[in-house]
Structures are given as C-alpha cells and as structure tokens.
Amino acid sequence: MNIAVLLHGGAGGSGVVATELGLCFAKLGHNVHFVADRVPFRLTEIGAPNVYFHQVQSMMYPLFDAPLTTIAEASKMAEVIEEYGIDVIHAHYAVPHATAATLARDMVRGVPKPVVITTLHGTDVTLVGLDPAYLRTTQYSIEQSDLVTAVSHYLADYTHDEMGIKRPIHVIPNAVDLQRFVPRALPNLRLRYAHPDEKLLVHVSNFRAVKRVEDVVRVFAGVSEHIGARLLMIGDGPDRHRSFELASELGVSGRVSFLGSFPRIEELLSVSDLFLLPSSKESFGLAALEAMASGVPVIASDSGGIPEVVKHGVTGFLHPVKDVTSMTKSAIRLLSDPAMHKRFSLAARERAETAFSEQTVLPLYQRAYDEALERRLASSGK
Ligand code: GMT
C-alpha cells in the first residue's frame, strides 16, 4: 500500500504518533510518504526503507500576513498522489490537514483517488477546531473524510457533542514503542540530574497554556518541602519562561533543569521517579503513556482522556484540574513509600504493554484503512 501521512512536523503528540505509526507501516513493507512543512521532529529514520519525506513549501507574498499553508499542503499532496499513486492519506490533527487532504483527494485527476483517514488528536477539536474562525471548515473536512478516528472515547464523544459531528468515529488509542520506552538502569545518567538520595520528577510537553506548566512547578515546590527532589522540564513553548520565573519565585530554581526540546527523551524518562501532567485539557496524554512504559508512575489531572490511560490508584493518581494540593500530597505519598512506588511502576509498565503496544494498535489502523478502501471500492462499483 502507498500511504501518505500529513502531519505537524514540530514537537507535539500528534506529530509523534503520526511519525511512529508511519514508521511501523513502513517496517511492514508499505511505502510511507510523510508530507509536512519540515522534517518531522521524531523522524530520525530518513533513508530507512520505504520511507519518503516531501516538504510543503509555502509562498510568501506581501499581500498576505502569513503563508497560506493549507493551500500549499493540498497542492503538495496532490503532486504526491499523482506521482506515487497514493492509496491512503492519513491526516493527523484535523486543522488544517483534514482540509488539505480532502481537497487534494478531490482535485486529482487521471489517477485513482486515495481515501482520507482523519485522526482527531485533541485541540484540533477542543480548542482550535471549535473557534468560529475554523469551525465550519473543520466540520466539513471531518464529514468529508472517508473514515475518522479519535485517540480516546472522551475525544470521540466531545466531537459528536460539541462539534456537532454526526458520523461514526472509530476510537483507536495511541501506541507506544515498548522497546524504546522501557525501564533502564542508567545510574550515571541519573547522577547528572539528582543525588542518589533525591527523587527525580519529570514533565514533558510543548509548554502551552493547556499543559499548566506552572502547576508542575508548584507541585514540585510542595514536594521539595518534604523530600529531597529535582525536576526535569523537557520541551519548549510559550509558557516555558513563566514557569522558569515561577521556579525562581518559589525558591526552587536551583533544583529545576529546563532541558528544552529534543526527540530522544526515553533515557531521561527511564531514570525518573514520577511524571507530572496537570493539564487543563488532554485528550489522551501520550507523554504520560511513554512515562508509564518506562516504568514511571504519573500524577495528572483527571481531565479529558487521561483516565483512559492512567489508572487512578494503580499506575498513578488523578486529581481535578488546578488541585495542586492533592497532586502534591499524592506525589509525596508515592515517593515516600518504596513498596507502593515499585507496585505502581510495575503496573504502569504492564498497562502500557497490555493496552497500548504497537502490536495491539497497528492492526486497528490497518483495519480502518481496509474498511475505507473497501467502502470506496464498493461505492465505485455501483
Ligand atoms: O492537541 C494538541 O494540543 C496538540 C497535540 C499534539 O500534537 O501535541 O496533542 C494532542 O494529541 C496527542 C497525541 O494524540 C495527545 O496525547 C494529547 O493529549 C493531545 N493534546 C491535548 O488534548 C491538549
């Protein structure tokens, strides 16, 4: 099969999922064409068999304030379809990829039209897609896709209820690479960030407002009053500076390392003791899943799809959004009870293995692709 993957190339869960999934399909022998404005953040395997990258080039013109990326994407995608005979376009994140994908599918001539699978990831529905500026086009593009998936039941329900989408949405959870994200003993790496008698907390995100990174710092400051601890802040985004300032204000900046954004986070996750994710909205929480696969329990908010990933009282603790006090108490409880921590750590890995392995999730996408292609075939025979 020839698959084109339309994704956001920067650091972010939807791009990570799109890349990992595409690479899995390439390993199965399918040709996978990544189409994005830059080499995707986690695409460390360019040159791997069956993997191609096509860069979307936008044209700037003084009349426009910003490049017209949706048009540029659709044009590039149409070229890729016509040149490579694409069977499936998988658009990750509805805005603007579902729009560009359906437009490209409808534009091409002289070759069989591909089917468009749109995967909803989160703020493409809960924030950006619902904005009046984008709502009508996003609704239309979701309805025009050949098949739609969402990464959690929460997101599928939200899309039906709040966006008014009527069509069925298949729920396919995100997967994690269990060989890459795995508990590892790396004492020398850990020593770079924490003394042997200290606990190491970690947060990974794109530091947007929904991540509530200031709550990460507040929970850490509360924990530090009772336990010797350090915090790793991995990623970058609009709220990084504010969280840096807050660490200073709370007197913990000497114990917080801001490491910026980089793709190979697996070793740092595996030497950490606790992952913090206090987001106000989170349709899934891929970073929490990667932590769990690494044997790291999670303290998170109970918002959105997080409870479908993190099991309260088993693989971590969940509390209402903004409830820094309860999150802090749970973190202290978990970090000061080695037997409980061990139990949670094993349960976290086990949950990642049983519910979110690539072997479990990949066939669900394969089935979705087949279903869309079969429907297309059936309707073209009518
Ligand atoms: O929706 C976003 O904020 C962006 C997106 C991304 O590209 O990082 O994140 C979403 O997709 C991830 C992968 O499916 C999910 O793990 C995140 O929970 C989800 N983010 C939100 O819902 C805020």
Side-chain angles (χ1 to χ4, degrees):
M1 204 185 304
N2 291 329
I3 302 167
V5 180
L6 202 44
L7 72 159
H8 290 294
S14 65
V16 168
V17 169
T19 307
E20 308 278 4
L21 186 65
L23 292 175
C24 285
F25 274 108
K27 285 196 187 115
L28 290 177
H30 301 290
N31 293 312
V32 177
H33 298 260
F34 291 99
V35 179
D37 62 342
R38 67 195 97 164
V39 176
F41 181 66
R42 282 249 187 119
L43 186 57
T44 46
E45 294 192 41
I46 281 197
N50 317 329
V51 176
Y52 306 82
F53 170 65
H54 308 274
Q55 187 164 21
V56 176
Q57 302 276 5
S58 286
M59 180 238 191
M60 264 313 280
Y61 187 66
L63 197 61
F64 314 138
D65 287 335
L68 307 179
T69 50
T70 313
I71 294 181
E73 256 182 31
S75 299
K76 174 55 76 179
M77 183 53 77
E79 270 173 47
V80 172
I81 298 168
E82 286 169 352
E83 191 169 344
Y84 296 92
I86 298 298
D87 303 296
V88 170
I89 305 177
H90 195 156
H92 285 269
Y93 203 86
V95 185
H97 302 320
T99 308
T102 50
L103 185 57
R105 175 200 63 196
D106 296 347
M107 275 192 309
V108 290
R109 295 281 177 269
V111 288
K113 288 189 184 296
V115 292
V116 173
I117 314 294
T118 293
T119 290
L120 308 173
H121 280 274
T123 49
D124 47 350
V125 173
T126 60
L127 266 174
V128 188
L130 277 186
D131 189 283
Y134 298 138
L135 179 61
R136 290 288 301 276
T137 310
T138 307
Q139 279 171 327
Y140 180 78
S141 309
I142 291 173
E143 296 288 7
Q144 290 299 308
S145 301
D146 293 280
L147 190 141
V148 179
T149 77
V151 297
S152 62
H153 291 279
Y154 156 79
L155 186 60
D157 293 346
Y158 192 99
T159 309
H160 284 134
D161 299 345
E162 306 297 327
M163 205 179 233
I165 296 293
K166 302 275 185 289
R167 64 176 304 153
I169 298 175
H170 296 49
V171 175
I172 303 184
N174 290 326
V176 63
D177 180 343
L178 292 163
Q179 268 81 52
R180 180 167 175 183
F181 292 92
V182 64
R184 306 160 199 248
L186 298 167
N188 290 338
L189 177 66
R190 192 186 150 97
L191 265 177
R192 267 197 240 161
Y193 297 103
H195 299 296
D197 56 345
E198 287 174 330
K199 300 298 179 190
L200 190 56
L201 288 75
V202 63
H203 170 78
V204 182
S205 79
N206 44 28
F207 284 60
R208 293 199 211 128
V210 290
K211 302 293 174 181
R212 296 190 64 81
V213 282
E214 290 176 45
D215 284 0
V216 173
V217 175
R218 287 197 183 91
V219 170
F220 173 71
V223 169
S224 298
E225 285 174 18
H226 297 85
I227 295 175
R230 305 264 169 177
L231 172 65
L232 299 180
M233 295 287 266
I234 304 176
D236 205 352
D239 287 356
R240 187 183 61 83
H241 187 64
R242 179 62 203 126
S243 60
F244 184 81
E245 282 178 344
L246 183 65
S248 253
E249 283 160 34
L250 297 178
V252 293
S253 57
R255 277 175 280 142
V256 183
S257 302
F258 287 86
L259 300 180
S261 188
F262 56 95
R264 304 209 69 89
I265 55 169
E266 53 272 27
E267 294 192 342
L268 285 175
L269 277 181
S270 75
V271 298
S272 300
D273 299 301
L274 190 64
F275 187 87
L276 301 177
L277 191 68
S279 313
S280 59
K281 279 182 198 293
E282 200 72 68
S283 67
F284 184 88
L286 181 69
L289 173 59
E290 291 178 339
M292 281 167 45
S294 311
V296 181
V298 175
I299 303 282
S301 51
D302 58 8
S303 67
I306 295 181
E308 295 174 45
V309 181
V310 180
K311 288 292 153 203
H312 179 71
V314 180
T315 68
F317 288 108
L318 303 179
H319 296 288
V321 177
K322 299 186 191 171
D323 189 351
V324 169
T325 308
S326 300
M327 290 183 197
T328 308
K329 276 189 192 153
S330 288
I332 294 169
R333 190 176 155 207
L334 199 45
L335 292 171
S336 29
D337 182 341
M340 179 193 258
H341 187 273
K342 181 83 190 157
R343 208 166 58 242
F344 275 52
S345 164
L346 291 173
R349 172 71 190 180
E350 194 190 329
R351 179 153 174 74
E353 285 173 355
T354 50
F356 304 106
S357 72
E358 289 173 348
Q359 288 82 348
T360 309
V361 173
L362 209 63
L364 303 178
Y365 276 113
Q366 177 80 58
R367 222 171 293 149
Y369 291 1
D370 291 344
E371 185 185 323
L373 287 164
E374 279 159 21
R375 260 197 265 142
R376 163 64 54 84
L377 206 63
S379 70
S380 66
K382 273 182 196 162

